[in-house]
Amino acid sequence: MAACFTNRMPIYALGAERPRIHPTAFVHPDAVLIGEVHVGPLASVWPSAVVRADNGPIFIGARTSIQDGTVLHTQPHNTTRIGDDCVIGHLVHLEGCTLEDHVLVGSGATVLERVVCRTVSFVAAGAIVTPGTEVPSGAMAMGVPATIRPDVVTKERIAGNVQGYLRHIRQHRDTMKQLEVEDCLSEDA
C-alpha cells in the first residue's frame, strides 16, 4: 500500500516531468513535490518540505528522511542527489549538491552547489557548506562558512536517526488522520 496521500498532496508535473514516488515511501500531505522528483523505497518527506525540480531531477534515496520545512532545489548543471539512509534535518536547504549514503545534515544547515558529502559524513546544524566543498567520509562540516573536522563521524551515529524516521513512517501511515476543528474543541484546553 502506498504511504502517500496523493489525493490531497500538492504534487505537480512540470511539462512532461512528474514526481516518481516509490509505493513504500511516505510523503506527508503538506509536502510539495514539483517536477522530476524521485522518492525511493521507505523514504519520507515531511510537512512543509518543498522539493522543486525545475532545473533538473532531484533524487532521494531509500530510507532517507527529508524533514519539516526543508527545501531541496537543483541547478541546470548540478543535480541534487541524496543517497540511501540519509537524514536531512528540519529547515535544511540543499541546492545542486550530492550526498552519498549515510549522511546526516543538521537542522538549519545549507549545502550549496557542487558540494559532495561522502558516505558517513555529517553537516552540523546551522552550518553553511560553500560551493565546491568536499566533506570526506567520517568528517563533520561545521560553522559559517563550514570547516571540516576529520574522523569524528561513525555510521552508528547516523543509523539511529534513520531508524527513528522509519518508525515515524509506520506511525503516521497507520494512525494519522485529518481532523476538523470541531473534533478538537475541549474544555480541557
Side-chain angles (χ1 to χ4, degrees):
M1 175 170 106
C4 61
F5 303 94
T6 55
N7 60 332
R8 298 185 335 221
M9 174 186 3
I11 57 173
Y12 301 96
L14 195 59
E17 299 300 340
R18 62 175 176 75
R20 295 168 177 92
I21 304 166
H22 191 276
T24 62
F26 177 84
V27 178
H28 190 277
D30 292 330
V32 178
L33 278 61
I34 302 169
E36 188 182 347
V37 176
H38 298 260
V39 182
L42 292 173
S44 55
V45 183
W46 295 92
S48 301
V50 176
V51 185
R52 183 164 58 99
D54 53 3
N55 289 319
I58 295 175
F59 297 91
I60 300 169
R63 297 169 305 283
T64 288
S65 63
I66 308 300
Q67 296 172 18
D68 312 52
T70 287
V71 175
L72 307 183
H73 196 231
T74 191
Q75 299 177 330
H77 303 292
N78 299 303
T79 299
T80 299
R81 293 182 179 273
I82 306 167
D84 297 341
D85 300 300
C86 293
V87 177
I88 311 305
H90 304 282
L91 302 170
V92 167
H93 176 195
L94 302 181
E95 178 85 29
C97 55
T98 299
L99 281 58
E100 295 180 347
D101 299 338
H102 307 286
V103 174
L104 192 150
V105 180
S107 295
T110 301
V111 181
L112 296 171
E113 63 269 11
R114 301 180 327 278
V115 168
V116 177
C117 294
R118 298 293 180 194
T119 298
V120 186
S121 62
F122 188 112
V123 175
I128 298 179
V129 186
T130 56
T133 300
E134 180 175 330
V135 181
S137 291
M140 177 186 296
M142 57 190 304
V144 179
T147 57
I148 306 299
R149 285 187 55 203
D151 304 320
V152 295
V153 179
T154 64
K155 189 174 180 180
E156 292 74 30
R157 183 172 186 179
I158 297 166
N161 288 290
V162 172
Q163 291 305 311
Y165 271 84
L166 290 174
R167 285 189 299 277
H168 288 317
I169 288 173
R170 288 188 298 275
Q171 174 190 25
H172 285 250
R173 181 185 57 221
D174 297 344
T175 66
M176 184 177 74
K177 72 176 194 174
Q178 187 169 10
L179 300 174
E180 299 297 324
V181 171
E182 294 77 27
D183 297 329
C184 301
L185 297 177
S186 172
E187 297 287 327
D188 298 339

